[in-house]
Amino acid sequence: AQKVTQAQTEISVVEKEDVTLDCVYETRDTTYYLFWYKQPPSGELVFLIRRNSFDEQNEISGRYSWNFQKSTSSFNFTITASQVVDSAVYFCALSEARGETSGSRLTFGEGTQLTVNP
Amino acid sequence: ETGVTQTPRHLVMGMTNKKSLKCEQHLGHNAMYWYKQSAKKPLELMFVYNFKEQTENNSVPSRFSPECPNSSHLFLHLHTLQPEDSALYLCASSQERRGANVLTFGAGSRLTVL
């Protein structure tokens, strides 16, 4: 069975601090996909990044960066120079590779509430 | 409108009422999903529809009844709910890519069962 663990329930930082959100996953599949989503107070989950299990290159997008380490089954997310607008709940998710007509089965972690204070 | 639209945004109902949640996507996607988000719990997948066919019912009680008349619309019919069904119900859509699908979510319908 798949499982995603986000051990940090809540994190509070002051603006301009760097913050890392941890994500650890479990799967028996050799091919799988990892995602991060952001849920602002408005409610909708916003897609941030997708990674496949064969691509361990770290990625940077502006102030966001992701560190994928298969050896430790982790896919951590770092926000550099955090801003108040980064305050949201962040979800890590895992999806196995499936047939094209099956639909996705995303397994989500419990989320990390990030609060960035001015 | 663009993206995934859910109505109503807020719904309060009694345990004997019958109501429906509506979801509409304007992205040309062929898969649609219902998720339940309760406090302190991970998002739970409820139903998956692919090309209008239900491909997953994740052991959801029969008091929740989905309907997908076409690839753009998804409903969740509710009847005789329990207070523990109070939650945020999120609809999502995607274009199929063997599990690599990026789901686009709506803003959710906040349901309160009295």
Side-chain angles (χ1 to χ4, degrees), chain B residues 25-64:
Chain B
Q25 59 99 357
H26 309 270
L27 300 166
H29 290 164
N30 53 27
M32 296 188 78
Y33 311 78
W34 280 116
Y35 277 85
K36 176 183 179 182
Q37 186 177 22
S38 305
K40 310 290 184 186
K41 293 174 82 172
L43 276 80
E44 301 171 59
L45 178 63
M46 300 174 71
F47 301 104
V48 181
Y49 277 82
N50 201 344
F51 295 99
K52 301 186 299 179
E53 299 296 321
Q54 187 180 124
T55 56
E56 180 136 344
N57 175 339
N58 205 19
S59 303
V60 180
S62 59
R63 58 186 183 269
F64 294 92

Side-chain angles (χ1 to χ4, degrees), chain A residues 2-59:
Chain A
Q2 297 184 321
K3 185 178 179 182
V4 176
T5 302
Q6 294 179 254
Q8 305 149 306
T9 305
E10 297 181 21
I11 299 176
S12 182
V13 299
V14 177
E15 209 169 16
K16 298 185 183 175
E17 284 185 24
D18 298 347
V19 57
T20 296
L21 309 181
D22 297 333
C23 173
V24 175
Y25 62 92
E26 296 175 26
T27 180
R28 294 182 181 176
D29 295 333
T30 54
T31 302
Y32 51 89
Y33 302 88
L34 294 163
F35 302 78
W36 274 95
Y37 281 85
K38 172 183 180 179
Q39 186 178 36
S42 54
E44 79 280 15
L45 274 76
V46 177
F47 167 75
L48 295 178
I49 190 171
R50 174 187 58 212
R51 225 48 186 155
N52 74 55
S53 51
F54 298 108
D55 181 1
E56 288 193 68
Q57 263 195 328
N58 292 328
E59 182 158 337

Side-chain angles (χ1 to χ4, degrees), chain B residues 20-23 34 47 49 65-69 73-77:
Chain B
S20 295
L21 306 181
K22 179 184 175 182
C23 176
W34 280 116
F47 301 104
Y49 277 82
S65 174
E67 178 190 1
C68 188
H73 294 85
L74 183 65
F75 296 88
L76 188 62
H77 302 301

